[in-house]
Amino acid sequence: MARITLRSFRDEDLPALVALYQRAYAEHPEYGEATPEASQRYLEWLQRHHTFFQLAEDDAGRVIGFVVAHANWRDRDGQRVGEIHELVVDPEYWGHGLGGRLLEAALAHLKAHGHRRARLWVGEHNDRARTFYIRHGFRPVRSGYWVRMEKRL
Ligand SMILES: CC(C)(COP(=O)(O)OP(=O)(O)OC[C@H]1O[C@@H](n2cnc3c(N)ncnc32)[C@H](O)[C@@H]1OP(=O)(O)O)[C@@H](O)C(=O)NCCC(=O)NCCS
C-alpha cells in the first residue's frame, strides 16, 4: 500500500471530503447524507463542533480517509462522553488497516482527554462497520436503527 500520512483537516479539503464521504456510504446510503450539499453541511458541522478531525492522505496528496471525534460530547443523558462521530475510508483502501489506524488516533485523543471509554453510533445493518468495531473492542450497549457501541480505553 502507498505511504499514508495522517494530518489535521484544512478548509480546502472540504470538496474532496464530500466526494469521499459519498463514495464510502454508497453501500449504505440510508446511514449517510442524501446529497452532496447535505454532505457538505454535515462535514462543515463536524469541522466546527468537534475536537479532533484528522484525515489520511496518500503519497500523491489524495485524501483517502478521515475520522472525527469529540472529547467533550454530551450524551443523551447529559453525561460527558468521548465520542467517535465519523470514520470513513475510501472503498479502494478498505481492508488494509487504514480504518484501524484512524480509529486508534481518535481513541488516543479521547484517552489523552481523560476518557476511560469511547462511544459511537453505527447503523444496525452496517455489518462491515459493526464487525470492524467489534474487532476493535467495542460492544453494543443499545440497539435500534442506530446501535450504540462502547469500548473501555
Ligand atoms: C468501516 C471502515 C471505516 C473500515 O475501514 P478499513 O480501512 O476497511 O478498516 P481496516 O482495514 O482497518 O479493517 C477492515 C478489515 O481489514 C482487515 N485488515 C486490517 N488490517 C489489515 C492489514 N494490514 N492487511 C490486510 N487486512 C487488514 C481486518 O481483518 C479488518 O477486517 P474486519 O473488519 O473483519 O475486522 C470502512 O469500511 C468505511 O469507511 N465504511 C463506510 C463508512 C462507515 O460505515 N463508517 C462507519 C461509521 S459508524
Side-chain angles (χ1 to χ4, degrees):
M1 190 164 62
R3 204 173 63 85
I4 289 164
T5 47
L6 302 196
R7 64 163 173 85
S8 299
F9 171 89
R10 297 192 288 255
D11 286 344
E12 59 267 32
D13 295 317
L14 198 56
L17 288 189
V18 170
L20 169 59
Y21 177 79
Q22 296 230 290
R23 274 202 305 285
Y25 275 96
E27 193 180 60
H28 281 295
E30 71 275 28
Y31 302 128
E33 299 289 340
T35 63
E37 293 72 26
S39 300
Q40 177 164 335
R41 279 195 299 277
Y42 170 57
L43 287 159
E44 285 170 340
W45 174 79
L46 286 175
Q47 195 274 327
R48 271 191 233 109
H49 298 289
H50 288 71
T51 57
F52 189 79
F53 196 141
Q54 286 269 299
L55 46 85
E57 197 174 64
D58 69 9
D59 48 13
R62 209 164 60 100
V63 178
I64 55 171
F66 64 93
V67 63
V68 185
H70 203 313
N72 297 303
W73 189 251
R74 290 287 160 188
D75 219 344
R76 287 176 171 179
D77 57 4
Q79 197 189 343
R80 174 181 174 262
V81 295
E83 184 82 9
I84 304 289
H85 213 124
E86 192 56 78
L87 173 63
V88 166
V89 170
D90 190 322
E92 275 182 41
Y93 282 84
W94 285 355
H96 294 281
L98 180 54
R101 199 171 145 191
L102 287 163
L103 178 65
E104 291 306 325
L107 294 177
H109 170 76
L110 299 179
K111 209 168 173 180
H113 282 77
H115 288 287
R116 295 173 66 186
R117 64 185 67 182
R119 289 186 185 162
L120 58 87
W121 293 100
V122 60
E124 66 174 333
H125 298 303
N126 190 349
D127 295 335
R128 182 187 304 283
R130 287 184 64 178
T131 305
F132 166 85
Y133 287 127
I134 285 167
R135 290 206 190 201
H136 282 272
F138 283 82
R139 64 186 179 93
V141 292
R142 191 193 297 177
S143 55
Y145 182 80
W146 294 103
V147 177
R148 190 67 162 150
M149 297 188 99
E150 184 177 282
K151 173 187 166 86
R152 286 190 187 283
L153 298 176

